[in-house]
Amino acid sequence: VGACEHYLRRLQQDHTSREAELVDMVGILREAAARLIGDSSDFNTQLISSAGRLKMMSGLEDIRDLKKQLSVEVTSLERVVEDKKARDEAAVSKLSERVQVLQADLIKAEEQASTDALTKIPNRGTFDRTLAKMIEASRKANSALTLAMIDVDHFKKVNDTHGHPIGDRVLICTAEWLRTAIRHTDFVARYGGEEFAMLLDGADLAQAEVRLKQVLEEISTRSFEYEMNGERRSVRFTVSCGVSQLQPQDSGQDLVQRADQGLYEAKQKGRNRVVTRKPSRFARLLSRS
């Protein structure tokens, strides 16, 4: 219940933040429009006034008075134009600064919305979008794509033994270790709870299995060190992994479902292991029909 309430509060805060940003954008546009209308109106009034004075000059007969008055009027017009130019440049500069600040805020809000708050890696929503994109790219390039579903073993026991703050640190460590284990073309996200998802671009099932066994072995040899009541403690943990490779007939859901089945089997077989899952014979027959 607490987690749900926290999630709902975050959604409400994000909604309020987005609403404030939109209001600010509208305010900037209104202010810019008002300033342009005001400046244009004032500028036009000055031009009309100057034109009236120029018309009155037609009654002057002395060429010296005419030249003198014309010089004064030209100087006045130049000053009006320069003043307007300076106002326009100042207004554009101020408007540009506000827009840049707003753009930075929007980018930050977008990053926060796509990142898991605890582990600072992509969240479930970002995974779903990335999965669809990588499936499409894989099919266009006719290249392999493999999905690994990874789950921290005995995570409830970690929380019960060491406390939830340490459990959070275990998730952070897992996320960081997985992130550093992938290539720049791969992708890792927190799928939910203590479960993570990893997409391996260009790797078939056999290649992915070899790589992931190495990752699991490295994680099993590490530990998270912490201090409590002046005593030095450590947490060692393992992860289990289910793997599936994209098939021609697969949807994203099919790929996730098979990897999840592999993960379930890895847990049943004793954890801290990688289990690959291929499509069933029935599914393969359907894909050929």
Side-chain angles (χ1 to χ4, degrees), residues 4 14 16-18 26-27 36 69 91 98-99 111 115 121 149 172 180 194 196 214 217 227-228 245 254 256 276-277:
C4 290
D14 289 344
T16 303
S17 176
R18 290 294 177 88
V26 172
L36 288 173
Q69 194 65 30
R98 289 189 62 186
V99 169
E111 289 176 350
T115 303
I121 64 173
M149 300 301 290
I172 293 169
T180 56
E194 64 269 29
F196 298 84
Q214 292 173 346
E217 185 178 356
E227 190 173 312
M228 180 175 286
Q245 182 179 342
D254 294 329
V256 171
T276 60
R277 263 303 178 100

PDB file of all heavy atoms in Angstrom, residues 4 14 16-18 26-27 36 69 91 98-99 111 115 121 149 172 180 194 196 214 217 227-228 245 254 256 276-277:
ATOM      1  N   CYS A   4       2.268   1.880  -3.387  1.00  0.00           N
ATOM      2  CA  CYS A   4       1.239   2.422  -4.293  1.00  0.00           C
ATOM      3  C   CYS A   4       1.007   3.902  -4.038  1.00  0.00           C
ATOM      4  O   CYS A   4       0.896   4.701  -4.967  1.00  0.00           O
ATOM      5  CB  CYS A   4      -0.069   1.651  -4.122  1.00  0.00           C
ATOM      6  SG  CYS A   4       0.009  -0.039  -4.758  1.00  0.00           S
ATOM      7  N   ASP A  14       4.479  14.719 -10.969  1.00  0.00           N
ATOM      8  CA  ASP A  14       4.892  14.844 -12.376  1.00  0.00           C
ATOM      9  C   ASP A  14       3.848  15.598 -13.179  1.00  0.00           C
ATOM     10  O   ASP A  14       4.176  16.449 -14.013  1.00  0.00           O
ATOM     11  CB  ASP A  14       5.112  13.459 -12.995  1.00  0.00           C
ATOM     12  CG  ASP A  14       6.367  12.784 -12.455  1.00  0.00           C
ATOM     13  OD1 ASP A  14       7.196  13.503 -11.864  1.00  0.00           O
ATOM     14  OD2 ASP A  14       6.494  11.569 -12.618  1.00  0.00           O
ATOM     15  N   THR A  16       1.618  17.764 -12.028  1.00  0.00           N
ATOM     16  CA  THR A  16       1.644  19.172 -11.614  1.00  0.00           C
ATOM     17  C   THR A  16       2.822  19.909 -12.235  1.00  0.00           C
ATOM     18  O   THR A  16       2.699  21.047 -12.702  1.00  0.00           O
ATOM     19  CB  THR A  16       1.726  19.273 -10.077  1.00  0.00           C
ATOM     20  OG1 THR A  16       0.624  18.577  -9.503  1.00  0.00           O
ATOM     21  CG2 THR A  16       1.691  20.735  -9.623  1.00  0.00           C
ATOM     22  N   SER A  17       3.980  19.229 -12.273  1.00  0.00           N
ATOM     23  CA  SER A  17       5.176  19.837 -12.868  1.00  0.00           C
ATOM     24  C   SER A  17       4.985  20.098 -14.348  1.00  0.00           C
ATOM     25  O   SER A  17       5.312  21.179 -14.846  1.00  0.00           O
ATOM     26  CB  SER A  17       6.382  18.916 -12.647  1.00  0.00           C
ATOM     27  OG  SER A  17       7.521  19.440 -13.282  1.00  0.00           O
ATOM     28  N   ARG A  18       4.448  19.130 -15.085  1.00  0.00           N
ATOM     29  CA  ARG A  18       4.205  19.302 -16.523  1.00  0.00           C
ATOM     30  C   ARG A  18       3.203  20.434 -16.764  1.00  0.00           C
ATOM     31  O   ARG A  18       3.354  21.230 -17.686  1.00  0.00           O
ATOM     32  CB  ARG A  18       3.666  18.002 -17.120  1.00  0.00           C
ATOM     33  CG  ARG A  18       4.699  16.892 -17.186  1.00  0.00           C
ATOM     34  CD  ARG A  18       5.810  17.241 -18.157  1.00  0.00           C
ATOM     35  NE  ARG A  18       6.847  16.240 -18.184  1.00  0.00           N
ATOM     36  CZ  ARG A  18       6.830  15.168 -18.975  1.00  0.00           C
ATOM     37  NH1 ARG A  18       5.829  15.001 -19.809  1.00  0.00           N
ATOM     38  NH2 ARG A  18       7.811  14.312 -18.943  1.00  0.00           N
ATOM     39  N   VAL A  26       2.977  29.046 -22.208  1.00  0.00           N
ATOM     40  CA  VAL A  26       1.912  29.940 -22.678  1.00  0.00           C
ATOM     41  C   VAL A  26       2.187  31.371 -22.238  1.00  0.00           C
ATOM     42  O   VAL A  26       2.001  32.324 -22.994  1.00  0.00           O
ATOM     43  CB  VAL A  26       0.537  29.465 -22.155  1.00  0.00           C
ATOM     44  CG1 VAL A  26      -0.535  30.490 -22.482  1.00  0.00           C
ATOM     45  CG2 VAL A  26       0.172  28.118 -22.763  1.00  0.00           C
ATOM     46  N   GLY A  27       2.670  31.516 -20.998  1.00  0.00           N
ATOM     47  CA  GLY A  27       2.989  32.847 -20.491  1.00  0.00           C
ATOM     48  C   GLY A  27       4.076  33.519 -21.299  1.00  0.00           C
ATOM     49  O   GLY A  27       4.008  34.719 -21.599  1.00  0.00           O
ATOM     50  N   LEU A  36       5.669  42.580 -28.595  1.00  0.00           N
ATOM     51  CA  LEU A  36       5.776  42.914 -30.018  1.00  0.00           C
ATOM     52  C   LEU A  36       4.670  43.866 -30.460  1.00  0.00           C
ATOM     53  O   LEU A  36       4.911  44.828 -31.193  1.00  0.00           O
ATOM     54  CB  LEU A  36       5.714  41.626 -30.856  1.00  0.00           C
ATOM     55  CG  LEU A  36       6.959  40.737 -30.790  1.00  0.00           C
ATOM     56  CD1 LEU A  36       6.697  39.427 -31.504  1.00  0.00           C
ATOM     57  CD2 LEU A  36       8.153  41.452 -31.429  1.00  0.00           C
ATOM     58  N   GLN A  69      15.604  71.582 -40.616  1.00  0.00           N
ATOM     59  CA  GLN A  69      14.487  70.821 -40.063  1.00  0.00           C
ATOM     60  C   GLN A  69      14.549  69.354 -40.498  1.00  0.00           C
ATOM     61  O   GLN A  69      14.241  68.437 -39.724  1.00  0.00           O
ATOM     62  CB  GLN A  69      13.157  71.447 -40.527  1.00  0.00           C
ATOM     63  CG  GLN A  69      11.931  70.964 -39.756  1.00  0.00           C
ATOM     64  CD  GLN A  69      11.992  71.387 -38.295  1.00  0.00           C
ATOM     65  OE1 GLN A  69      12.569  72.415 -37.957  1.00  0.00           O
ATOM     66  NE2 GLN A  69      11.412  70.565 -37.423  1.00  0.00           N
ATOM     67  N   ALA A  91      14.573  42.187 -25.781  1.00  0.00           N
ATOM     68  CA  ALA A  91      13.413  41.299 -25.614  1.00  0.00           C
ATOM     69  C   ALA A  91      13.732  39.896 -26.118  1.00  0.00           C
ATOM     70  O   ALA A  91      13.397  38.901 -25.471  1.00  0.00           O
ATOM     71  CB  ALA A  91      12.211  41.866 -26.364  1.00  0.00           C
ATOM     72  N   ARG A  98      14.771  32.576 -21.219  1.00  0.00           N
ATOM     73  CA  ARG A  98      13.653  31.890 -20.572  1.00  0.00           C
ATOM     74  C   ARG A  98      13.325  30.582 -21.286  1.00  0.00           C
ATOM     75  O   ARG A  98      13.025  29.564 -20.650  1.00  0.00           O
ATOM     76  CB  ARG A  98      12.424  32.793 -20.534  1.00  0.00           C
ATOM     77  CG  ARG A  98      12.551  33.960 -19.572  1.00  0.00           C
ATOM     78  CD  ARG A  98      11.244  34.705 -19.407  1.00  0.00           C
ATOM     79  NE  ARG A  98      10.210  33.860 -18.847  1.00  0.00           N
ATOM     80  CZ  ARG A  98       8.929  34.241 -18.718  1.00  0.00           C
ATOM     81  NH1 ARG A  98       8.564  35.442 -19.132  1.00  0.00           N
ATOM     82  NH2 ARG A  98       8.051  33.435 -18.201  1.00  0.00           N
ATOM     83  N   VAL A  99      13.372  30.608 -22.619  1.00  0.00           N
ATOM     84  CA  VAL A  99      13.094  29.400 -23.391  1.00  0.00           C
ATOM     85  C   VAL A  99      14.155  28.335 -23.116  1.00  0.00           C
ATOM     86  O   VAL A  99      13.840  27.148 -22.976  1.00  0.00           O
ATOM     87  CB  VAL A  99      13.032  29.716 -24.901  1.00  0.00           C
ATOM     88  CG1 VAL A  99      13.017  28.433 -25.726  1.00  0.00           C
ATOM     89  CG2 VAL A  99      11.784  30.544 -25.216  1.00  0.00           C
ATOM     90  N   GLU A 111      13.859  13.018 -18.687  1.00  0.00           N
ATOM     91  CA  GLU A 111      14.830  12.044 -18.191  1.00  0.00           C
ATOM     92  C   GLU A 111      14.332  11.381 -16.915  1.00  0.00           C
ATOM     93  O   GLU A 111      14.461  10.166 -16.735  1.00  0.00           O
ATOM     94  CB  GLU A 111      16.175  12.725 -17.937  1.00  0.00           C
ATOM     95  CG  GLU A 111      16.908  13.124 -19.215  1.00  0.00           C
ATOM     96  CD  GLU A 111      18.188  13.888 -18.923  1.00  0.00           C
ATOM     97  OE1 GLU A 111      18.395  14.274 -17.748  1.00  0.00           O
ATOM     98  OE2 GLU A 111      18.971  14.103 -19.858  1.00  0.00           O
ATOM     99  N   THR A 115      13.514   7.283 -16.256  1.00  0.00           N
ATOM    100  CA  THR A 115      14.544   6.644 -15.433  1.00  0.00           C
ATOM    101  C   THR A 115      13.958   6.123 -14.125  1.00  0.00           C
ATOM    102  O   THR A 115      13.110   6.779 -13.511  1.00  0.00           O
ATOM    103  CB  THR A 115      15.670   7.654 -15.124  1.00  0.00           C
ATOM    104  OG1 THR A 115      16.209   8.145 -16.359  1.00  0.00           O
ATOM    105  CG2 THR A 115      16.776   7.013 -14.315  1.00  0.00           C
ATOM    106  N   ILE A 121      18.718   3.679 -13.706  1.00  0.00           N
ATOM    107  CA  ILE A 121      18.779   3.121 -15.051  1.00  0.00           C
ATOM    108  C   ILE A 121      17.374   3.222 -15.650  1.00  0.00           C
ATOM    109  O   ILE A 121      16.415   3.533 -14.938  1.00  0.00           O
ATOM    110  CB  ILE A 121      19.279   1.658 -15.046  1.00  0.00           C
ATOM    111  CG1 ILE A 121      18.304   0.743 -14.295  1.00  0.00           C
ATOM    112  CG2 ILE A 121      20.684   1.564 -14.464  1.00  0.00           C
ATOM    113  CD1 ILE A 121      18.655  -0.739 -14.398  1.00  0.00           C
ATOM    114  N   MET A 149      15.873 -11.873 -18.878  1.00  0.00           N
ATOM    115  CA  MET A 149      15.164 -11.411 -17.690  1.00  0.00           C
ATOM    116  C   MET A 149      15.968 -11.893 -16.486  1.00  0.00           C
ATOM    117  O   MET A 149      16.249 -13.096 -16.344  1.00  0.00           O
ATOM    118  CB  MET A 149      13.744 -11.967 -17.655  1.00  0.00           C
ATOM    119  CG  MET A 149      12.894 -11.552 -18.853  1.00  0.00           C
ATOM    120  SD  MET A 149      12.708  -9.763 -19.055  1.00  0.00           S
ATOM    121  CE  MET A 149      11.662  -9.374 -17.654  1.00  0.00           C
ATOM    122  N   ILE A 172      20.592  -1.326  -6.327  1.00  0.00           N
ATOM    123  CA  ILE A 172      21.447  -0.318  -6.968  1.00  0.00           C
ATOM    124  C   ILE A 172      22.737  -0.966  -7.471  1.00  0.00           C
ATOM    125  O   ILE A 172      23.182  -0.695  -8.592  1.00  0.00           O
ATOM    126  CB  ILE A 172      21.749   0.836  -5.988  1.00  0.00           C
ATOM    127  CG1 ILE A 172      20.471   1.625  -5.683  1.00  0.00           C
ATOM    128  CG2 ILE A 172      22.816   1.768  -6.554  1.00  0.00           C
ATOM    129  CD1 ILE A 172      20.593   2.609  -4.529  1.00  0.00           C
ATOM    130  N   THR A 180      27.408  -1.938 -16.367  1.00  0.00           N
ATOM    131  CA  THR A 180      28.811  -1.935 -16.783  1.00  0.00           C
ATOM    132  C   THR A 180      29.183  -3.203 -17.561  1.00  0.00           C
ATOM    133  O   THR A 180      30.246  -3.253 -18.177  1.00  0.00           O
ATOM    134  CB  THR A 180      29.744  -1.810 -15.564  1.00  0.00           C
ATOM    135  OG1 THR A 180      29.454  -2.862 -14.635  1.00  0.00           O
ATOM    136  CG2 THR A 180      29.546  -0.460 -14.874  1.00  0.00           C
ATOM    137  N   GLU A 194      12.621  -6.593  -7.968  1.00  0.00           N
ATOM    138  CA  GLU A 194      14.024  -6.996  -8.039  1.00  0.00           C
ATOM    139  C   GLU A 194      14.369  -7.615  -9.392  1.00  0.00           C
ATOM    140  O   GLU A 194      15.368  -8.313  -9.531  1.00  0.00           O
ATOM    141  CB  GLU A 194      14.351  -7.974  -6.908  1.00  0.00           C
ATOM    142  CG  GLU A 194      13.614  -9.291  -6.965  1.00  0.00           C
ATOM    143  CD  GLU A 194      12.295  -9.287  -6.191  1.00  0.00           C
ATOM    144  OE1 GLU A 194      11.666  -8.228  -6.058  1.00  0.00           O
ATOM    145  OE2 GLU A 194      11.917 -10.371  -5.703  1.00  0.00           O
ATOM    146  N   PHE A 196      15.223  -7.322 -13.537  1.00  0.00           N
ATOM    147  CA  PHE A 196      15.838  -6.457 -14.549  1.00  0.00           C
ATOM    148  C   PHE A 196      15.700  -7.119 -15.923  1.00  0.00           C
ATOM    149  O   PHE A 196      15.577  -8.340 -16.033  1.00  0.00           O
ATOM    150  CB  PHE A 196      17.321  -6.229 -14.231  1.00  0.00           C
ATOM    151  CG  PHE A 196      17.556  -5.543 -12.918  1.00  0.00           C
ATOM    152  CD1 PHE A 196      17.588  -6.275 -11.731  1.00  0.00           C
ATOM    153  CD2 PHE A 196      17.730  -4.166 -12.852  1.00  0.00           C
ATOM    154  CE1 PHE A 196      17.789  -5.645 -10.509  1.00  0.00           C
ATOM    155  CE2 PHE A 196      17.934  -3.533 -11.634  1.00  0.00           C
ATOM    156  CZ  PHE A 196      17.966  -4.268 -10.462  1.00  0.00           C
ATOM    157  N   GLN A 214      28.952 -15.464 -17.602  1.00  0.00           N
ATOM    158  CA  GLN A 214      30.086 -14.703 -17.070  1.00  0.00           C
ATOM    159  C   GLN A 214      29.611 -13.601 -16.127  1.00  0.00           C
ATOM    160  O   GLN A 214      30.194 -13.384 -15.059  1.00  0.00           O
ATOM    161  CB  GLN A 214      30.895 -14.106 -18.214  1.00  0.00           C
ATOM    162  CG  GLN A 214      31.624 -15.123 -19.070  1.00  0.00           C
ATOM    163  CD  GLN A 214      32.288 -14.512 -20.286  1.00  0.00           C
ATOM    164  OE1 GLN A 214      32.005 -13.361 -20.645  1.00  0.00           O
ATOM    165  NE2 GLN A 214      33.166 -15.259 -20.930  1.00  0.00           N
ATOM    166  N   GLU A 217      28.452 -15.099 -12.842  1.00  0.00           N
ATOM    167  CA  GLU A 217      29.607 -15.538 -12.050  1.00  0.00           C
ATOM    168  C   GLU A 217      30.284 -14.350 -11.369  1.00  0.00           C
ATOM    169  O   GLU A 217      30.656 -14.427 -10.180  1.00  0.00           O
ATOM    170  CB  GLU A 217      30.610 -16.270 -12.938  1.00  0.00           C
ATOM    171  CG  GLU A 217      31.786 -16.857 -12.167  1.00  0.00           C
ATOM    172  CD  GLU A 217      32.754 -17.619 -13.052  1.00  0.00           C
ATOM    173  OE1 GLU A 217      32.468 -17.758 -14.264  1.00  0.00           O
ATOM    174  OE2 GLU A 217      33.793 -18.058 -12.531  1.00  0.00           O
ATOM    175  N   GLU A 227      28.230  -0.612   7.008  1.00  0.00           N
ATOM    176  CA  GLU A 227      28.505  -0.555   8.444  1.00  0.00           C
ATOM    177  C   GLU A 227      27.210  -0.315   9.202  1.00  0.00           C
ATOM    178  O   GLU A 227      26.408   0.542   8.822  1.00  0.00           O
ATOM    179  CB  GLU A 227      29.517   0.560   8.732  1.00  0.00           C
ATOM    180  CG  GLU A 227      30.036   0.544  10.160  1.00  0.00           C
ATOM    181  CD  GLU A 227      31.162   1.553  10.374  1.00  0.00           C
ATOM    182  OE1 GLU A 227      32.104   1.575   9.545  1.00  0.00           O
ATOM    183  OE2 GLU A 227      31.077   2.311  11.355  1.00  0.00           O
ATOM    184  N   MET A 228      27.000  -1.056  10.285  1.00  0.00           N
ATOM    185  CA  MET A 228      25.806  -0.884  11.106  1.00  0.00           C
ATOM    186  C   MET A 228      26.196  -1.026  12.578  1.00  0.00           C
ATOM    187  O   MET A 228      26.819  -2.033  12.956  1.00  0.00           O
ATOM    188  CB  MET A 228      24.732  -1.917  10.727  1.00  0.00           C
ATOM    189  CG  MET A 228      23.454  -1.796  11.552  1.00  0.00           C
ATOM    190  SD  MET A 228      22.155  -2.927  10.989  1.00  0.00           S
ATOM    191  CE  MET A 228      21.653  -2.121   9.477  1.00  0.00           C
ATOM    192  N   GLN A 245      15.510 -15.685 -27.634  1.00  0.00           N
ATOM    193  CA  GLN A 245      15.945 -14.985 -28.843  1.00  0.00           C
ATOM    194  C   GLN A 245      14.741 -14.669 -29.709  1.00  0.00           C
ATOM    195  O   GLN A 245      13.818 -15.486 -29.838  1.00  0.00           O
ATOM    196  CB  GLN A 245      16.944 -15.846 -29.632  1.00  0.00           C
ATOM    197  CG  GLN A 245      17.474 -15.142 -30.890  1.00  0.00           C
ATOM    198  CD  GLN A 245      18.480 -15.990 -31.648  1.00  0.00           C
ATOM    199  OE1 GLN A 245      19.038 -16.942 -31.086  1.00  0.00           O
ATOM    200  NE2 GLN A 245      18.713 -15.674 -32.912  1.00  0.00           N
ATOM    201  N   ASP A 254       5.719 -12.060 -26.695  1.00  0.00           N
ATOM    202  CA  ASP A 254       6.183 -13.449 -26.826  1.00  0.00           C
ATOM    203  C   ASP A 254       7.621 -13.579 -26.313  1.00  0.00           C
ATOM    204  O   ASP A 254       7.963 -14.535 -25.605  1.00  0.00           O
ATOM    205  CB  ASP A 254       6.147 -13.888 -28.293  1.00  0.00           C
ATOM    206  CG  ASP A 254       4.734 -13.963 -28.846  1.00  0.00           C
ATOM    207  OD1 ASP A 254       3.812 -14.258 -28.064  1.00  0.00           O
ATOM    208  OD2 ASP A 254       4.550 -13.708 -30.055  1.00  0.00           O
ATOM    209  N   VAL A 256       9.255 -11.652 -24.176  1.00  0.00           N
ATOM    210  CA  VAL A 256       9.297 -11.484 -22.712  1.00  0.00           C
ATOM    211  C   VAL A 256       8.768 -12.735 -22.015  1.00  0.00           C
ATOM    212  O   VAL A 256       9.337 -13.194 -21.016  1.00  0.00           O
ATOM    213  CB  VAL A 256       8.487 -10.245 -22.294  1.00  0.00           C
ATOM    214  CG1 VAL A 256       8.335 -10.180 -20.775  1.00  0.00           C
ATOM    215  CG2 VAL A 256       9.145  -8.966 -22.803  1.00  0.00           C
ATOM    216  N   THR A 276      18.050 -20.947 -21.062  1.00  0.00           N
ATOM    217  CA  THR A 276      17.563 -20.419 -22.345  1.00  0.00           C
ATOM    218  C   THR A 276      16.246 -21.083 -22.705  1.00  0.00           C
ATOM    219  O   THR A 276      16.007 -22.251 -22.354  1.00  0.00           O
ATOM    220  CB  THR A 276      18.591 -20.682 -23.463  1.00  0.00           C
ATOM    221  OG1 THR A 276      18.801 -22.089 -23.589  1.00  0.00           O
ATOM    222  CG2 THR A 276      19.915 -19.990 -23.159  1.00  0.00           C
ATOM    223  N   ARG A 277      15.411 -20.331 -23.391  1.00  0.00           N
ATOM    224  CA  ARG A 277      14.117 -20.854 -23.806  1.00  0.00           C
ATOM    225  C   ARG A 277      13.904 -20.601 -25.296  1.00  0.00           C
ATOM    226  O   ARG A 277      13.925 -19.459 -25.745  1.00  0.00           O
ATOM    227  CB  ARG A 277      13.000 -20.185 -23.010  1.00  0.00           C
ATOM    228  CG  ARG A 277      12.480 -20.958 -21.808  1.00  0.00           C
ATOM    229  CD  ARG A 277      11.974 -22.335 -22.212  1.00  0.00           C
ATOM    230  NE  ARG A 277      11.526 -23.109 -21.075  1.00  0.00           N
ATOM    231  CZ  ARG A 277      10.258 -23.244 -20.722  1.00  0.00           C
ATOM    232  NH1 ARG A 277       9.310 -22.654 -21.427  1.00  0.00           N
ATOM    233  NH2 ARG A 277       9.934 -23.986 -19.687  1.00  0.00           N
TER     234      ARG A 277
END
